């Protein structure tokens, strides 16, 4: 207008344009689903048809959210609405539509590794199905027992030792075990021209199934009269087996105890001044061991096969040793000014059996060296692990070749008519061993551990040193082969 006044028609036009702008810029709907329905009215029918066609061509169904993200038509219709995946609740899946042409593949289970086959599928008869927990087939029969029994040569002395591991033996079946037992003793007691081929046969952990003999006797016959030495002296005291065990428990320290050793106790009854009693239950437990069963004084390899154990003169007997140790003592003296001086002294208490050979009396008039068998156990203390948890070293052994029997008997001045503890007064140290080796004397240096079983052929001179507290169960076996010629 030329007069500066806006006509009424123009004002109406401006107001209508402002209202139209407010209508266009109105706030977005708060609910995204409603906004999507409003903005997608025109293309919804086309999207549904496209979605149905895709569902028919797929083998597995998709969720509502995945279909919305994969369909471009619906995305365009949604416009600028807020994404559905943030606020929408878990949608209900549509019914499955599996075309008849799609085949279901068998799934594989993680636990067993065996594929799960549908019930209507036929499995070929020739395909074996593995069953979980099925028993393993038995081990093949051992045709060569030499694979379990091995012969070792001492690198220092040159003598040979036969060894067997009881854990390997227990893994065999009955037939294999019988073969190994026969072969082990065939090698251990084997001889060439009447002379033993080896100095010893050792079965590691062979007596692990036996109860502790000392605790067994204390529990079953606590009033049994026994004799024991005074530590570091030659005095002998009398007491009951339970009293001696209490002394051992109160004086133990680690692998030794500060008490005198227990003298031998017979397990097959007593004669004259012997200590002991008949323990039939303990003997039956020993006979359950296949190696003990044939080598006991009345076993199948013995000359007295089937003998009543109550009249056996060859044992078994058992004794207990404290282990080699030092005794500490304090002594006082006065110097030139009259002051008293205290000195700590240590006295060695040896626990050794000097060189000897096992022998037996024949008809009460003559003696003959014979084979011996034994096994070792620890004296179980409250603060030390049991034999099942830890294997302790108990004895150091020097065993000489049977070919050198007469040479050693003369050089060491052995008195075979004496008991083993007093046959010889000489303890063989390393210097003496080196001297004997120069004279072509063969020997084997060994260390025996808890639950070890050992078998010594005849005419084998040997010495023992007890390095830890232990108990020994030993006996003589007069083999039939020694009396065949």
């Amino acid at each position: 207008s030329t007069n500066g006044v806006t006509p009424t028609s123009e004002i109406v036009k401006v107001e209508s344009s402002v209202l139209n702008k407010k209508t266009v810029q109105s706030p977005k709907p708060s609910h995204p689903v409603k906004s999507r329905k409003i903005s997608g009215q025109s293309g919804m029918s086309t999207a549904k048809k496209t979605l149905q066609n895709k569902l028919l061509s797929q083998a597995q169904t998709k969720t509502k959210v995945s279909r919305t993200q994969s369909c471009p038509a619906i995305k365009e219709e949604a416009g600028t609405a807020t994404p559905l995946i943030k606020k929408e609740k878990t949608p209900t899946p549509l019914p499955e539509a599996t075309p008849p042409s799609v085949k279901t593949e068998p799934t594989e289970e993680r636990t067993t590794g065996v594929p799960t086959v549908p019930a209507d599928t036929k499995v070929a008869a020739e395909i074996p199905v593995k069953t979980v927990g099925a028993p393993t087939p038995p081990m093949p029969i051992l045709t060569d027992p030499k694979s379990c029994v091995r012969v070792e040569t001492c690198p220092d002395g040159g003598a040979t030792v036969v060894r067997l591991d009881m854990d390997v033996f227990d893994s065999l079946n009955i037939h294999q075990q019988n073969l190994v037992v026969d072969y082990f003793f065939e090698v251990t007691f084997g001889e060439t021209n009447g002379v033993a081929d080896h100095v010893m046969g050792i079965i590691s952990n062979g007596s692990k199934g036996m109860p502790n003999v000392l605790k067994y006797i204390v529990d079953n016959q606590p009033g049994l009269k026994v004799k024991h030495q005074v530590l570091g002296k030659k005095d002998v005291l009398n007491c009951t087996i339970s009293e001696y065990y209490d002394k051992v428990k109160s004086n133990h320290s680690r692998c030794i105890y500060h008490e005198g050793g227990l003298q031998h106790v017979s397990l097959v009854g007593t004669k004259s001044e012997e200590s002991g009693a008949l323990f039939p239950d303990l003997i039956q437990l020993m006979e359950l061991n296949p190696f003990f069963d044939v080598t006991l004084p009345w076993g199948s390899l013995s000359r007295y096969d089937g003998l009543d154990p109550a009249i056996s003169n060859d044992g078994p007997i058992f004794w207990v040793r404290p282990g080699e140790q030092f005794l500490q003592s304090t002594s006082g003296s006065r110097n030139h000014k009259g002051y008293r001086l205290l000195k700590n002294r240590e006295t060695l208490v040896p626990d050794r059996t000097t060189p000897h050979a096992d022998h037996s009396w024949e008809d009460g008039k003559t003696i003959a060296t014979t084979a011996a068998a034994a096994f070792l156990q620890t004296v179980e203390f409250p603060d030390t692990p049991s034999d099942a948890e830890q294997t302790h070293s108990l004895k150091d052994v020097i065993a000489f070749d049977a070919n050198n029997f007469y040479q050693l008997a003369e050089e060491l001045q052995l008195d075979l008519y004496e008991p083993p503890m007093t046959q010889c007064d000489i303890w063989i140290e390393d210097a003496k061993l080196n001297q004997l080796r120069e004279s072509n004397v063969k020997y084997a240096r060994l260390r025996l551990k808890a639950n070890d079983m050992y078998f010594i052929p005849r005419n084998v001179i040997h010495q023992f040193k007890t390095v830890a507290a232990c108990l020994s169960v030993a006996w003589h076996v007069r083999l039939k082969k020694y009396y065949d010629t």
Side-chain angles (χ1 to χ4, degrees), residues 189-206:
F189 296 126
E191 295 183 344
T192 302
N193 298 326
V195 180
D197 298 330
H198 311 285
V199 297
M200 190 177 295
I202 302 174
I203 303 178
S204 301
N205 211 23

Side-chain angles (χ1 to χ4, degrees), residues 4-53:
V5 179
T6 306
T8 304
S9 60
E10 295 294 333
I11 293 174
V12 172
K13 290 180 181 180
V14 170
E15 290 179 354
S16 62
S17 64
V18 171
L19 291 175
N20 291 335
K21 287 182 180 181
K22 289 182 180 181
T23 305
V24 173
Q25 297 179 0
S26 60
K28 300 176 183 180
S30 60
H31 201 285
V33 177
K34 293 181 179 180
S35 175
R36 197 179 106 189
K37 288 183 178 181
I38 294 173
S39 60
Q41 286 290 339
S42 60
M44 183 61 66
S45 59
T46 305
K48 285 185 178 180
K49 291 180 180 181
T50 304
L51 183 61
Q52 291 177 359
N53 293 333

Side-chain angles (χ1 to χ4, degrees), residues 214 217-219 221-226 239-249:
L214 180 59
I217 296 178
V218 170
D219 295 338
Q221 291 196 19
L224 180 66
K225 298 293 183 180
V226 295
C239 65
T240 62
I241 189 70
S242 60
E243 293 174 349
Y244 177 78
Y245 188 68
D246 293 338
K247 293 179 182 179
V248 170
K249 290 195 300 183

Side-chain angles (χ1 to χ4, degrees), residues 2 40 49 89-90 123 139 142 177-178 227 231 243 280 289 324 362 372 401 409 460 467 484:
T2 57
K49 291 180 180 181
K89 297 182 180 180
T90 305
V123 181
M139 296 178 60
L142 185 65
Q177 289 181 355
N178 293 333
K227 301 177 182 179
L231 187 63
E243 293 174 349
N289 189 301
E324 193 160 302
E362 299 295 337
D401 194 282
V460 174
V467 297
D484 290 341

